[in-house]
Amino acid sequence: MNTTKITTIKTSRWNRQSKSAITLKELIEAVRHDTKDEDIQTFRHIISNRRLTDEDVMNLRNESIGRLPVVYPSVLVSLSHNGNTTIRSFNGLLTLSVGPLHDNQEADRVKSLAAVLPTTVAVLQGCSGRSVKIILRATRPNGSLPAEHDAMEAFCQQAYPLAVNVYQSLADLAGTSESIRVEPALSDDNSQLLWAGFRMTYDESPYLREEADALLVPDNNYFLHPQHQMPPAPPAAEEDKGTGHETRQLIAYLQQHYVFRYNTIMGYTESRSLKKWNHGWQPVDDNVLKGLTLEVRMAKINVWDLDVSRFLKSNFVKTFNPIEEYLWELRGKWDGRDHIGLLANAVPTDNPNWPLWFRTWFLGMVAQWLGKNPRYGNSLVPLLISRQGYNKSTFCRSLIPPELQWGYNDNLVLSEKKTVLQAMSQFLLINLDEFNQISPKVQQGFLKNIIQLASVKVKRPYGKHVEDQPRLASFIATSNMSDVLSDPSGSRRFIGVELTGPIRLPQHINHKQLYAQALALLEQGVPYWLDDQQTRELMTSNKQFQQLSPEELFFRECFSIPASEAEGKFMTSTAILSAVKRRAGSALPRCNAATFGRILANIDGLVRRRNSSGTEYLVIPKLHENQ
């Protein structure tokens, strides 16, 4: 292996190309040193300290390191005077790219994981710092390699899906985020797998194993390239090639063309094409299932929808929980800083309890995801109150990390109850935006009930039966008006805070440390609920946001609450209601004595007593009541 030659091609500032043939060992020695102007490190520093789009990164790459040589590990080439390249030989090396990565620490973890596999020849960090390049070797079972160009490309079309499957599975098992992809290291201007490669890079500690094992690529596999005809299905009459053989053909074909996983949160299988490298995961609904079946049958494998469906619903498909995947790698990683407190302090308010209440709610949200309390749901709801333009919605969205943004919902319609219950089992955070538009009836009924649920009964997408599913979602709310709470007894569920200015979020929220802190505090036993004293303080604070009902408004217009029994008199709810009706007339909504009694019972500070005639309340009639 130490004599295996690879190609590098460099383009000068006058757009002239020159090529070199070097060994892998020479490549590894070269990447240990940056260019004389430290172009690569400068480029990495720029993109790590600025918020850049992919287009910005591409422009910077072209400006900063566009003249660095391009490494083509798979082939040796000849370069003519007019710049045309001809492939002389193919060495069986494949190049994968793993990314996008968040930081050097994540790159080091990927490198160490890739080095574990016996087929890995070399591993090194990409020039942007956001990817890792993996070089591995593949051969036919007999150790041979194709010699003609078309056969080389066809071999790569077979080999790369197998390689991606192996290394993506390793990344998934290690808890790597689903946004990190393993794919051929193809440039934007060349889709031929033979020309997979990368720009010359810098890595202080690259990995090299010159005598790595080869990934075996069966020469009788089903070609992925459309120009190659699929082999005919074996005759059913052969004794050893019956139904079991066709099932093996089905599984082999699907695994060579796709990666599958069962999303335990969404409750369905997802697929990702190995042929369309940049396409993401998609649910395997009926249309996709029928498409897969047709594709398999066109490959002359004699199976039907039920056979494909049976495989996709079996334990051959690995399970995937995006929440567990994200949180698992954060356990024990907290740096000790109060990241939750820093985020709470970004919300300007005069309420001194806000940081503690916010932390309690945040821990409750993470505990809800982890299913720590199967009996009670996270019944606290932060309610951010201010005029428009104070970045309330931006703050709410920023609480969820980019990898889990699919779990944020801010357009839920509470009147669609089935949709709400389903959302509570599949989303992580639901923002009740413009909370002031939610009617008192919904607040005191449906919303009050669902906030405290620990589980919900829903029918999953593509499911046939109603199931009892654990609740995942916590709630947060925003309002442009201050008198928004219409249920006095339910106000203990809301953490109402009035903003004194716009929310000023940090330029970069370290979500991983934010959630690492939450996990650490939960493991330490820090409460994710309010005790009785804190609940009383919360309800007292929420009085300023209470929305008075018309009945209570008219009551307060007709009566005042005395400071002592000597100052007032006891009256039944019926007598008080009669006085209120005389004052309000037709302006008072229809209200009977029982309903009015419940309203009086929830008025703070109103003294009551029970006697033979029922419940009486201590009040002072105002002058107009006696007139």
Side-chain angles (χ1 to χ4, degrees), residues 14 244 336:
W14 298 281

Side-chain angles (χ1 to χ4, degrees), residues 33 44 75 92 144 157 183 190 263 284 403 445 499 599:
H33 309 283
R44 290 178 182 175
V75 292
S144 66
Q157 291 282 352
E183 55 193 10
N190 196 331
N263 191 318
V284 181
E403 296 90 337
L499 277 58
I599 294 172

Side-chain angles (χ1 to χ4, degrees), residues 5 33 83 108 114 128 237 249 329 339 358 385 399 408 410 489 519 575 590 604:
K5 292 290 186 76
H33 309 283
D108 289 341
S128 70
Q249 279 188 304
E329 67 174 277
H339 297 273
F358 176 79
I385 301 169
L399 297 175
Y408 179 79
D410 59 1
S489 64
L519 291 173
R590 290 185 178 181
D604 191 52

Side-chain angles (χ1 to χ4, degrees), residues 216-278:
L216 300 183
V217 182
D219 53 8
N220 61 349
N221 236 334
Y222 299 109
F223 291 166
L224 300 181
H225 199 282
Q227 72 183 27
H228 296 284
Q229 185 178 2
M230 298 292 178
E238 292 186 25
E239 183 178 351
D240 61 341
K241 294 185 178 181
T243 304
H245 178 70
E246 291 171 346
T247 301
R248 287 192 292 272
Q249 279 188 304
L250 164 68
I251 295 174
Y253 179 88
L254 290 177
Q255 289 182 336
Q256 289 162 17
H257 289 70
Y258 299 92
V259 181
F260 298 99
R261 67 187 188 190
Y262 179 76
N263 191 318
T264 58
I265 299 300
M266 305 307 293
Y268 51 64
T269 299
E270 299 172 322
S271 68
R272 184 164 67 95
S273 172
L274 292 174
K275 199 173 179 181
K276 301 174 182 176
W277 308 103
N278 295 324

Side-chain angles (χ1 to χ4, degrees), residues 311-455:
F311 164 69
L312 295 176
K313 294 179 180 179
S314 72
N315 57 7
F316 278 69
V317 176
K318 67 180 180 182
T319 59
F320 170 74
N321 185 313
I323 305 170
E324 291 180 358
E325 294 279 324
Y326 182 79
L327 295 179
W328 179 256
E329 67 174 277
L330 304 180
R331 294 180 182 275
K333 302 282 183 69
W334 181 32
D335 60 11
R337 295 181 61 198
D338 186 10
H339 297 273
I340 299 176
L342 288 173
L343 197 57
N345 291 333
V347 179
T349 177
D350 292 332
N351 191 325
N353 292 315
W354 164 247
L356 173 62
W357 291 346
F358 176 79
R359 187 189 72 176
T360 302
W361 169 81
F362 193 87
L363 294 183
M365 177 175 68
V366 178
Q368 187 78 62
W369 299 353
L370 296 172
K372 292 185 72 69
N373 191 336
R375 295 183 60 191
Y376 302 103
N378 183 16
S379 58
L380 286 175
V381 182
L383 174 57
L384 308 179
I385 301 169
S386 76
R387 65 189 185 192
Q388 290 184 347
Y390 273 36
N391 303 323
K392 299 187 295 295
S393 297
T394 302
F395 174 81
C396 296
R397 181 178 292 276
S398 69
L399 297 175
I400 302 299
E403 296 90 337
L404 301 179
Q405 272 295 314
W406 54 264
Y408 179 79
N409 188 319
D410 59 1
N411 59 1
L412 201 62
V413 180
L414 290 180
S415 60
E416 300 174 0
K417 296 184 179 181
K418 291 183 180 179
T419 303
V420 173
L421 293 175
Q422 184 171 310
M424 290 176 65
S425 70
Q426 294 178 342
F427 288 96
L428 305 178
L429 179 61
I430 296 174
N431 177 12
L432 302 174
D433 208 12
E434 298 186 357
F435 186 81
N436 47 285
Q437 295 187 8
I438 299 176
S439 69
K441 182 178 179 181
V442 173
Q443 275 195 48
Q444 298 171 23
F446 181 62
L447 183 59
K448 180 178 179 179
N449 176 57
I450 63 172
I451 284 176
Q452 59 193 3
L453 292 178
S455 63

Side-chain angles (χ1 to χ4, degrees), residues 52-119:
L52 303 174
T53 64
D54 290 341
E55 184 178 357
D56 293 333
V57 173
M58 184 61 68
N59 292 334
L60 275 170
R61 180 184 289 115
N62 293 336
E63 295 170 8
S64 303
I65 56 176
R67 299 304 176 190
L68 290 175
V70 179
V71 181
Y72 298 104
S74 302
V75 292
L76 273 179
V77 303
S78 297
L79 185 65
S80 65
H81 293 294
N82 58 9
N84 293 327
T85 55
T86 303
I87 293 178
R88 291 165 45 197
S89 63
F90 170 60
N91 55 33
L93 294 179
L94 310 179
T95 308
L96 300 175
S97 181
V98 185
L101 304 175
H102 183 263
D103 50 27
N104 288 334
Q105 189 177 22
E106 196 164 53
D108 289 341
R109 185 172 65 253
V110 171
K111 286 169 59 180
S112 63
L113 290 170
V116 172
L117 291 185
T119 54

